[in-house]
Amino acid sequence: MKNVITIDGPSGSGKGTISKLLAIKLGYNYLDTGALYRAVAWKVREEKTNPDNEEALKKILEDIKINFEGNRIFVDGIDVSSAIRTAEIGELSSRVSAKPAVRAALFSLQREMGLQGKVVIEGRDTGTAIFPEAENKFYLDAGIEERARRRYEELRVKDPEATLEKTIEDIRKRDTRDSSRENAPLMKTDDMVYIDSTRLSIEEVVVKILEHLK
Ligand code: DC
């Protein structure tokens, strides 16, 4: 499968920025699968649902309507693009993403979106569970302090209470949960090209990926 490029990696590895840029360079669509989990988390918080109650989660998943329009994301017609980018929703999305019911509901949505044409799809399991048959798979990584620093630069604009120490702690917790869950954990497999972006610029990472494309 040549039309799908998968990019997986932990929080703050730069996969969002890099995937978007790569998609523009190649004239591909871009699918941010983390935004789907964040959208579900947003609704869970909005409805004050207990994220550990699988039945209540299933009800939310039956009713929720998620749409992308350009680079904006809508839940039930509400533009949540900015509201989903907080530390609180990041944490909640990681918790709900460990629930099998949530992963099952978002699986077909991601397959359908990915099969619409040429696409760069990024997340935690895009090369392992969503498009295991893709020919071009990448795993982006960076040291935890650098990843936290990048995330903190984004968060501090919105949240004056954010600190670098707290961001490091949050990222560490999220890394552990996202990689140790039973269902489609974040994982590097042998068929993925591994890129450590700790000391690379965005442009340098994109160049590396372009060099590897089959
Ligand atoms: O990439 P992100 O920070 O926007 O992702 C938010 C959470 O969603 C992440 O902590 C785990 C979950 N996620 C997932 O389980 N599978 C994906 N393919 C993408 C994200």
Side-chain angles (χ1 to χ4, degrees):
M1 181 181 254
K2 284 204 160 74
N3 283 347
V4 175
I5 299 170
T6 67
I7 303 191
D8 290 306
S11 191
S13 57
K15 21 179 224 328
T17 315
I18 282 150
S19 304
K20 247 180 259 169
L21 196 61
L22 183 68
I24 292 171
K25 286 204 187 243
L26 294 170
Y28 273 38
N29 291 321
Y30 161 64
L31 177 57
D32 169 7
T33 63
L36 298 173
Y37 292 93
R38 286 174 181 264
V40 172
W42 179 85
K43 187 152 178 177
V44 164
R45 200 197 51 174
E46 201 64 9
E47 306 223 323
K48 302 189 171 54
T49 304
N50 173 358
D52 293 318
N53 179 341
E54 291 244 4
E55 286 313 309
L57 282 180
K58 278 186 192 154
K59 176 83 184 74
I60 285 198
L61 291 157
E62 273 165 26
D63 297 342
I64 195 168
K65 297 218 166 24
I66 306 175
N67 300 87
F68 285 98
E69 274 176 38
N71 53 10
R72 318 243 16 123
I73 178 165
F74 294 79
V75 173
D76 303 331
I78 302 167
D79 185 345
V80 296
S81 318
S82 174
I84 61 169
R85 300 287 160 201
T86 63
E88 186 196 353
I89 295 291
E91 164 66 17
L92 190 56
S93 63
S94 169
R95 279 178 70 188
V96 300
S97 74
K99 308 285 179 205
V102 175
R103 302 207 76 78
L106 295 182
F107 176 82
S108 5
L109 189 64
Q110 293 171 78
R111 283 291 296 187
E112 275 161 34
M113 287 177 162
L115 290 172
Q116 278 167 14
K118 299 175 169 178
V119 68
V120 178
I121 172 168
E122 56 107 338
R124 302 289 189 295
D125 64 344
T126 64
T128 50
I130 309 297
F131 284 102
E133 74 275 43
E135 278 172 41
N136 289 297
K137 301 185 189 182
F138 297 87
Y139 188 98
L140 263 192
D141 205 356
I144 185 157
E145 302 222 336
E146 173 62 15
R147 291 191 285 118
R149 196 192 56 74
R150 292 173 187 170
R151 208 18 65 89
Y152 171 64
E153 291 303 324
E154 286 168 15
L155 289 176
R156 65 191 289 200
V157 181
K158 281 190 208 155
D159 180 2
E161 290 186 5
T163 64
L164 182 59
E165 290 67 33
K166 172 88 172 52
T167 312
I168 293 178
E169 207 182 289
D170 287 351
I171 286 208
R172 190 164 280 135
K173 207 156 94 189
R174 208 127 78 80
D175 280 359
T176 308
R177 191 187 297 116
D178 294 346
S179 335
S180 63
R181 66 174 178 232
E182 242 170 73
N183 231 289
L186 170 66
M187 191 167 59
K188 189 210 157 293
T189 51
D190 289 345
D191 57 352
M192 292 177 184
V193 175
Y194 179 88
I195 300 175
D196 182 340
S197 74
T198 310
R199 285 184 190 80
L200 298 178
S201 69
I202 292 163
E203 268 301 324
E204 285 170 324
V205 177
V206 172
V207 167
K208 266 188 187 289
I209 293 181
L210 290 171
E211 280 167 9
H212 279 285
L213 288 181
K214 290 176 194 154

